[in-house]
Amino acid sequence: MTTSKQTTAKQLLVRAAARNNAEWCAVVSRSHGLTSEFGQRAWTAPARTPLYHPDAVTLLPDADPAALTGRIDTDAPGASVKDSFACLDLTGAGFHVLFEAQWIHRPAGAPAVASDLVWDAVDAPDTLRAWASAWDRGEGDADLFRPELLADPATFVLAGRSADGRVLAGAVASRSAQVVGVSNVFALDGGPDRAWPGVLDAVHHLFPTLPVVGYEHGDDLASAERHGFEPIGPLRIWLHGE
């Protein structure tokens, strides 16, 4: 494969990852009773989205900044934009860069290391609550994950349990047409390095032919690379206000 073809393949993967992430953001917003819209170049939500989720996700690199910020609520505190290609300048609209990250990709396939936990997909509200409480670590944000998520056919909340049934690790897998996105990877002990083998094994059993994508930065990016992921392109999170 030539360098040009490799670049094109990565660009297509980044676009697939961005679309997948936007679809997941739409699912979370919908579970909170919020509407959103997919345009050709961006997904946007007119009302402030749930905690940790952007108000807009660009789907193509030529998204128009003015049109993008005009379709979200910048009056309410905390509005944010996921610049999927790290190519926008939103400073003129009152945004600053919150952090930068990398889209990541792992080819379809089973993990090389076995998990020491029992993994399955959450299928009941009380189990989802236990999962969210473990993910939250007592910070008070467990209500972000609502039972309505369990009704979405493309969303799989994955739980890693101890022998006595306690949720010790987890992640969310969201399927789209070309890829499966993984987010919210956590483990109470051992960090993402403990969670990834079980997450990848569960994803492989659910979607054996789909590549896995997501985004990470810092130590979490290094952990993902240790488990077979490759960075494929930068993204940038913009936050409105100070």
Side-chain angles (χ1 to χ4, degrees):
M1 180 179 287
T2 67
T3 301
S4 177
K5 288 183 178 179
Q6 289 175 337
T7 300
T8 300
K10 285 188 177 182
Q11 289 172 342
L12 291 174
L13 275 171
V14 168
R15 293 187 185 192
R19 175 79 189 199
N20 174 274
N21 187 261
E23 290 174 358
W24 163 239
C25 291
V27 168
V28 175
S29 296
R30 190 160 58 246
S31 74
H32 285 253
L34 302 173
T35 61
S36 61
E37 178 184 5
F38 279 90
Q40 183 179 0
R41 290 173 173 78
W43 168 85
T44 53
R48 282 302 332 283
T49 48
L51 185 68
Y52 304 130
H53 291 77
D55 301 86
V57 179
T58 59
L59 305 176
L60 292 174
D62 60 349
D64 179 72
L68 184 72
T69 57
R71 302 210 316 257
I72 64 176
D73 182 4
T74 55
D75 292 329
S80 63
V81 171
K82 183 170 289 175
D83 175 7
S84 300
F85 307 89
C87 63
L88 300 182
D89 183 358
L90 302 182
T91 54
F95 287 79
H96 65 274
V97 176
L98 182 62
F99 67 87
E100 297 187 349
Q102 282 280 332
W103 293 110
I104 56 174
H105 161 256
R106 187 183 192 277
V113 180
S115 174
D116 61 341
L117 301 173
V118 177
W119 287 80
D120 57 16
V122 172
D123 60 2
D126 57 341
T127 312
L128 178 63
R129 182 69 186 181
W131 181 97
S133 296
W135 167 87
D136 179 60
R137 296 175 181 262
E139 294 295 322
D141 299 322
D143 288 338
L144 172 63
F145 297 94
R146 297 189 172 181
E148 288 82 357
L149 290 176
L150 302 179
D152 183 77
T155 300
F156 297 79
V157 180
L158 306 174
R161 307 170 193 265
S162 62
D164 61 2
R166 290 178 299 129
V167 177
L168 299 182
V172 174
S174 51
R175 174 184 51 79
S176 56
Q178 299 171 297
V179 296
V180 54
V182 174
S183 61
N184 299 284
V185 179
F186 75 91
L188 296 183
D189 296 304
D193 279 316
R194 187 183 185 192
W196 273 122
V199 171
L200 290 170
D201 185 60
V203 168
H204 175 66
H205 281 89
L206 288 167
F207 317 106
T209 64
L210 288 181
V212 186
V213 296
Y215 75 92
E216 299 289 357
H217 66 111
D219 291 343
D220 291 339
L221 175 59
S223 174
E225 291 184 89
R226 286 193 290 271
H227 293 276
F229 284 90
E230 173 194 13
I232 56 173
L235 65 113
R236 188 173 290 145
I237 305 298
W238 293 86
L239 181 65
H240 190 260
E242 297 181 4

